[in-house]
Amino acid sequence: MGRPNPNYKSNVLSDTIVGFVDGAAKLMFTGGLLAAVVGIAVLIWHVFGSGNADPQALAQALKYQDYFRQAALWGILAAGIGAAWLFWGEEVSGPILLIVGLALALSSWYLPLAIQGQGGELQGNAITYLSTAGYPAVLIGILMVLAAAIQATKIRLEQGAKAEQMKYGKGMKEEKDVRNQFLGKCWQLPYCRKFVRERCPIYHAKRTCWKERVGCMCEESVIKTAMENKVISKDMIAASKFIPKNTKLSPAAKAERCRQCVIYNEHQKHKYNLFLPITIMGIAASYIALRPVMADGIQSALRGVDGVYKTVTLNAVQTASDDSARATSIDGGAVPYNEIILFVLALVALAYAIKVLEFLIWKLKI
C-alpha cells in the first residue's frame, strides 16, 4: 500500500479556496458590470435627456440620483476587481479597463462641451458622478498594465540571459530558413523544415500538401524518404510520381488530418488576415451606401412607435419644442435616434460578419 500524500488535504483546500474566489470574482464582475451599466446609462440620460423635463420630474430625479451614482461607482469597482482576478495576465484587459476609466474620468471635461455649458443641478451632478465612477477603473487598469509590463520585462530579461549563455560549437551557426510568404504554398510557410523540404516530392512538384492530402506533418513516408536521403527529381512531372499515396485512410480522415495540421492552419491564418479587412470595408461600404434609405426607414418606424405610444398613454397632444436644440430626438437634434440605431446595427452586423468569417476559416476550414 502506498503512503498517503501529506499534501493531499492542503491541495484540496487550495483548490477549494481558488474555486471559491473564482466564483466570487465572476459574481462581482457580472453583478458589478450590470450595476455599472444601469447607473452610467441613467446618469448619461440625466445629462442629455433631462433638458425639457418639468420641475417636478427634475426634483424626483434629484432625489434618486445618488442611488445611480453609487451603482455606477461601486459597480465599476466590483467589475474592475472581478476582471483583475479573472483576466489577470491578459495583455488587453488592463488597457481596456484603463481606457474605460479614462473615458469616464475625463467626462467632466468633454460632457459640458457636448451640452454647451447648459444644464442645471441634475446635469451637473450627473457629470461629476460619471467622472468619479471612472477613478476605480483607472486605478485598477494602471495596476494591471504595470504588472503586465513588469512581468514581460522579467521574462525578457530571463530569456535574454539564457540566450547569452547559449554556445555553439566551432564552425556551427544557427540555421535561419523560415519562410512565410503570404498565401504561399505549404513549402513557403513556417514549420516547413529545410532538410525535409529539399527531399520532398511535393516541393519539387510545386504542389501543396493539403491538396495532395499528404505532407511532412502527417505522412510517415515523407519523413522516411527525407531521412533515407533519397534523391527526388527536380522536374515537376517526374517529382509528382514520388508523392506518396495513402490508401489506408478515407478522404474524410485525410481532410480532418489537414485541418489539424500546423502548416495548413498557418495558411488559414493568412486567409483570415486577407478577408478580415475586406469584411470590415464591405460592412463600412454597405453602411455608407445604404445609410440614407435605412435611416429613413428607421425614422419612419420610430415615428410609428412614437405615435402608438402617445395614443396608448393618452398623450396625443404634442408640446412645441425645438428638436434642433436637443441632443437627440426622432426628427432632429445633433445626432437623431435613427442615426444612433443605424450605427449600432452596423456594429452588430460587423460583429456577426466577423463571426461568420471566423466560423468559415477556423471551424469549417474552407
Side-chain angles (χ1 to χ4, degrees):
M1 180 181 294
R3 296 178 59 186
N5 185 1
N7 297 324
Y8 174 75
K9 292 184 178 180
S10 61
N11 291 337
V12 172
L13 181 61
S14 177
D15 292 341
T16 303
I17 294 175
V18 172
F20 173 77
V21 175
D22 284 342
K26 291 179 181 178
L27 181 62
M28 291 179 64
F29 177 73
T30 305
L33 187 62
L34 180 61
V37 168
V38 173
I40 291 173
V42 173
L43 291 176
I44 291 176
W45 182 85
H46 286 172
V47 175
F48 293 103
S50 60
N52 296 326
D54 57 83
Q56 184 178 0
L58 289 176
Q60 187 175 9
L62 278 170
K63 181 180 179 181
Y64 295 103
Q65 191 178 35
D66 188 65
Y67 292 107
F68 299 107
R69 175 192 69 82
Q70 295 187 38
L73 177 62
W74 295 107
I76 287 289
L77 179 60
I81 294 175
W85 176 267
L86 295 174
F87 307 112
W88 187 267
E90 297 289 339
E91 295 181 356
V92 298
S93 56
I96 289 177
L97 200 60
L98 183 59
I99 291 172
V100 172
L102 288 175
L104 291 172
L106 299 178
S107 61
S108 59
W109 292 3
Y110 59 81
L111 285 183
L113 299 177
I115 62 176
Q116 299 178 352
Q118 301 176 359
E121 182 181 0
L122 183 70
Q123 291 171 309
N125 290 345
I127 293 175
T128 302
Y129 295 159
L130 285 171
S131 179
T132 305
Y135 295 158
V138 171
L139 178 60
I140 298 174
I142 290 176
L143 292 177
M144 293 181 69
V145 170
L146 289 177
I150 292 173
Q151 185 177 6
T153 303
K154 182 180 178 181
I155 294 175
R156 180 62 59 86
L157 291 175
E158 291 178 353
Q159 291 181 349
K162 292 180 180 179
E164 292 295 331
Q165 296 172 3
M166 292 179 63
K167 302 294 182 182
Y168 295 96
K170 185 178 181 180
M172 299 295 294
K173 62 180 180 179
E174 183 181 4
E175 180 180 344
K176 295 182 179 180
D177 186 59
V178 179
R179 300 184 176 189
N180 194 12
Q181 180 174 328
F182 186 68
L183 292 177
K185 299 181 183 294
C186 57
W187 36 270
Q188 294 173 321
L189 298 175
Y191 309 107
C192 180
R193 293 151 291 184
K194 181 180 179 181
F195 172 79
V196 179
R197 180 172 63 245
E198 292 175 347
R199 298 160 181 82
C200 178
I202 296 176
Y203 165 66
H204 292 293
K206 305 304 179 186
R207 299 184 182 181
T208 57
C209 60
W210 49 80
K211 289 185 178 180
E212 299 296 332
R213 295 294 193 237
V214 291
C216 60
M217 289 291 177
C218 61
E219 194 63 41
E220 179 184 356
S221 57
V222 177
I223 301 297
K224 185 178 179 181
T225 300
M227 296 299 294
E228 293 175 352
N229 200 19
K230 291 184 178 180
V231 178
I232 304 295
S233 174
K234 295 183 179 181
D235 180 73
M236 294 175 58
I237 298 177
S240 63
K241 298 179 181 179
F242 290 90
I243 298 176
K245 306 294 182 182
N246 191 327
T247 58
K248 297 180 180 180
L249 296 178
S250 64
K254 293 179 182 178
E256 181 61 28
R257 192 170 61 173
C258 283
R259 294 189 186 99
Q260 304 300 325
C261 176
V262 64
I263 297 179
Y264 182 70
N265 281 307
E266 186 70 24
H267 179 68
Q268 292 298 102
K269 184 192 296 184
H270 288 194
K271 289 198 289 187
Y272 181 78
N273 292 337
L274 171 66
F275 286 107
L276 180 60
I278 293 177
T279 302
I280 295 175
M281 289 187 293
I283 295 295
S286 301
Y287 172 79
I288 295 173
L290 301 176
R291 175 181 163 274
V293 177
M294 296 184 67
D296 291 342
I298 294 174
Q299 189 176 50
S300 300
L302 289 175
R303 287 172 180 167
V305 173
D306 186 57
V308 172
Y309 167 77
K310 290 180 178 179
T311 302
V312 172
T313 58
L314 304 178
N315 189 23
V317 179
Q318 296 184 356
T319 57
S321 62
D322 185 8
D323 283 338
S324 62
R326 300 173 61 184
T328 182
S329 66
I330 294 178
D331 296 312
V335 184
Y337 288 148
N338 58 332
E339 295 291 348
I340 297 175
I341 294 175
L342 182 58
F343 183 73
V344 172
L345 290 177
L347 293 180
V348 173
L350 176 61
Y352 276 95
I354 294 176
K355 282 184 175 292
V356 171
L357 176 63
E358 291 176 348
F359 178 77
L360 295 175
I361 297 294
W362 300 117
K363 185 67 176 179
L364 299 183
K365 300 292 179 73
I366 295 178

